[in-house]
Amino acid sequence: MKTLALIVRKPGLEREAFRDHYEQVHAPLAIETVLEGTKRYLRHHVAEVCAGAFAADVVTSFWYHGPQGALDVQARLQTPVGERILQDEVSFMDRPANTFFAVEERWVEEASVGSDGTRVLALVKRAGGEAAADFVAEYESKFLSGLLDTAAGPRACLQNRALGSDPAYDLVTEVHATEVDAGGLAAWHQELTARGAQAAIVRVTEHESVLPW
């Protein structure tokens, strides 16, 4: 099981300071207090918004050993131990603006890409009133290949399909490549939004914790 968290920094806090606090203080504290048993814990910090509007400053991914693992984390948050992490969140996050949703993931392409490559997230939401299944099928058959065409060199693509009735985004596509063409991204975004979808494209840096269990 996997969930994504779109997390927004506290007003008045610079994005760099937010990232530094998240990585140096918050992530280690989360591991110490509430994330025991989690399979993976990874953050994609926003470096640049390439197209569209995107309010969050980081997209955090959590992998669990099934639904019970996620429930265990939620239960720890309600204990005195969990209060420590919640207090830290208030110190640097705009908590009411944060959004969480579950996803199912599948690799579209897998490749070994160096750590100095470019990582891009495309976050896409269907038009109001449109069936999610129909939109996802159209996106993956007609639009996903165009996004991948903007990536040069060895590339990898991980597709996250949102679960639930009203997620913040229906799809979060992760592309990691040697280089990504900015003009191609802009053209792809224009084509997708002309179809009626909402979309944001962001360049990110990737940070993953080594878990002690």
Side-chain angles (χ1 to χ4, degrees), residues 38-79:
T38 304
K39 290 172 64 177
R40 291 183 67 192
Y41 178 36
L42 181 147
R43 285 82 55 199
H44 283 119
H45 286 276
V46 175
E48 176 190 7
V49 178
C50 302
F54 190 62
D57 297 282
V58 64
V59 179
T60 299
S61 301
F62 304 89
W63 287 261
Y64 307 96
H65 294 282
Q68 187 58 50
L71 292 174
D72 290 344
V73 170
Q74 293 301 314
R76 292 188 196 105
L77 287 170
Q78 308 308 313
T79 68

Side-chain angles (χ1 to χ4, degrees), residues 74-131:
Q74 293 301 314
R76 292 188 196 105
L77 287 170
Q78 308 308 313
T79 68
V81 170
E83 184 63 26
R84 293 176 58 196
I85 197 73
L86 295 176
Q87 288 178 353
D88 184 62
E89 289 180 355
V90 171
S91 73
F92 79 114
M93 296 181 185
D94 183 3
R95 289 191 67 214
N98 295 346
T99 303
F100 300 80
F101 54 99
V103 298
E104 59 178 6
E105 64 176 15
R106 72 177 183 91
W107 284 100
V108 177
E109 292 189 9
E110 291 189 69
S112 177
V113 183
S115 59
D116 58 345
T118 297
R119 290 172 172 81
V120 170
L121 303 186
L123 304 100
V124 183
K125 178 75 171 178
R126 68 190 185 277
E130 189 172 5

Side-chain angles (χ1 to χ4, degrees), residues 178-198:
T178 304
E179 186 177 350
V180 178
D181 175 53
L185 287 177
W188 181 84
H189 178 267
Q190 184 176 12
E191 180 183 4
L192 184 60
T193 54
R195 178 232 176 267
Q198 300 176 39

